[in-house]
Amino acid sequence: QVFHNKDTSPVEAVYKFPMDPYFSVNGMKITLDDKEIDAVIMKKEEAKEKYDDAVAAGNTAAKINYDENIPEILELAVGALQPDKTIKIDVSIVSKCDVIQYGLFSFIFPINFIPKYTPSGTASIEQPKVGGSVLDGLFSANIVVEANSVISDLSVSHMMEYSQENDGSQRN
């Protein structure tokens, strides 16, 4: 994700995106100006406190955590992003591929909020609402597929470029 603050004052940008329950965030790298910062994984309360302290002091900070109300939603917050500054955030996620049948695997990366089936008698999940100022953003995904054997065929539902490495892995 790349964010640019076109406003005349510092902003906090909060982005929410769907996350499969089998995905795990295993890293985040922040690039601000010429500085690259590798995020540190910590307990939620400690991370919130450090983020709030940094933003209160006027320092740009970022945090990523699961939404408290909807556990399938990952929330990325960038606080105190100064005017005319750009920040790039790379989030690293790992997941296993589901075996469909006959050695075929399936990988689905959700990027849209869509209504989910809610069984009768349970509370429905309210879809996240968009609010506040809109910052220009760019979304891209690099996907690395590693397998114990050579991948002989790759079928995708969306247009993408990929290449096969010497070890048989596919790279988009």
Side-chain angles (χ1 to χ4, degrees):
Q1 232 21 104
V2 177
F3 311 107
H4 180 76
N5 182 6
K6 292 182 180 179
D7 207 353
T8 57
S9 59
V11 297
E12 179 179 49
V14 178
Y15 289 82
K16 295 185 179 195
F17 48 97
M19 187 58 59
D20 187 284
Y22 296 108
F23 287 17
S24 294
V25 174
N26 68 339
M28 181 169 74
K29 182 171 70 172
I30 302 158
T31 306
L32 179 63
D33 295 326
D34 294 335
K35 291 183 188 175
E36 283 191 2
I37 303 162
D38 286 317
V40 176
I41 296 174
M42 56 184 68
K43 291 186 178 183
K44 188 175 185 175
E45 298 78 23
E46 182 184 357
K48 181 180 180 346
E49 184 178 328
K50 286 188 179 259
Y51 174 84
D52 290 345
D53 290 348
V55 170
N59 298 315
T60 300
K63 69 174 180 169
I64 191 166
N65 58 274
Y66 286 95
D67 186 286
E68 292 180 14
N69 300 316
I70 309 171
E72 295 172 333
I73 303 297
L74 203 60
E75 182 177 278
L76 170 63
V78 178
L81 181 57
Q82 300 302 311
D84 203 33
K85 289 288 186 179
T86 300
I87 189 168
K88 178 182 177 193
I89 299 181
D90 294 300
V91 178
S92 177
I93 299 168
V94 295
S95 176
K96 67 178 184 72
C97 289
D98 292 325
V99 177
I100 300 174
Q101 61 181 1
Y102 309 115
L104 300 175
F105 296 87
S106 171
F107 175 77
I108 299 172
F109 185 79
I111 57 173
N112 291 327
F113 290 108
I114 56 174
K116 298 206 177 210
Y117 169 74
T118 304
S120 175
T122 61
S124 64
I125 297 174
E126 183 177 326
Q127 296 300 305
K129 300 202 176 9
V130 176
S133 299
V134 176
L135 296 178
D136 291 337
L138 172 66
F139 173 83
S140 65
N142 292 316
I143 301 169
V144 177
V145 178
E146 297 179 348
N148 292 334
S149 59
V150 173
I151 299 170
S152 59
D153 185 29
L154 181 65
S155 175
V156 296
S157 60
H158 299 297
M159 191 168 84
M160 67 184 260
E161 296 177 15
Y162 67 91
S163 64
Q164 187 161 346
E165 303 295 319
N166 291 337
D167 63 1
S169 63
Q170 301 276 345
R171 294 187 184 273
N172 75 325

